Each structure stands twice: as structure tokens, then as C-alpha cells.
Amino acid sequence: DTRDWSSDVCSSDLIIAEAEELLNNGALDNTMEAVVEEFNAALAHAKEIVAKDGATQQEINDATKRLLDVMAK
């Protein structure tokens, strides 16, 4: 597949930035520890996938969805 996925990576970058802003603004301060741990894990995973050379569209989608799901908690 030779499609340019850069716009999808850009969307993922925006979601990652929003998640980092939530974290830095204390939005998780009164949240259950298990949710905070999942948030941190999902954020780290999304950052890793977006930075990965050759990440597939499915990997990007899955990592972004996981982060969005935990952000909604």
C-alpha cells in the first residue's frame, strides 16, 4: 500500500497533544489510579506508534482509538 498516511498521523498527533494537555492540566488528579495507569499506557503506546517508521494504518487507528477510549473515561 503506497497511500500517504501523513494526515492520519497528524490527527493522531493532535489527539496525543490533547491527551498531554489533559495530563498537564491536572484533569486526572482525582481519577482512579487504574484509569490513570491505562491513560498513561495508552498515551505512551500512541506516541510510540506515531513515531514508528513503517507503522501501519491499522496500528495508528488502534493506538488512537485506545487513547480516545481512555480519554473518555
Side-chain angles (χ1 to χ4, degrees):
D1 188 350
T2 60
R3 180 175 167 194
D4 178 10
W5 300 111
S6 59
S7 63
D8 296 304
V9 171
C10 182
S11 297
S12 296
D13 284 339
L14 293 173
I15 294 165
I16 289 168
E18 184 177 336
E20 289 178 327
E21 187 174 327
L22 287 172
L23 189 61
N24 293 333
N25 289 338
L28 301 176
D29 288 353
N30 295 314
T31 304
M32 292 185 334
E33 185 176 339
V35 174
V36 174
E37 288 175 4
E38 175 58 21
F39 182 94
N40 288 332
L43 178 57
H45 180 70
K47 290 167 83 172
E48 176 185 321
I49 292 300
V50 168
K52 177 181 161 184
D53 286 338
T56 66
Q57 183 59 43
Q58 191 62 52
E59 287 176 310
I60 293 168
N61 290 350
D62 291 347
T64 302
K65 182 181 181 325
R66 177 182 175 198
L67 182 55
L68 285 170
D69 287 348
V70 76
M71 286 170 67
K73 290 184 178 182

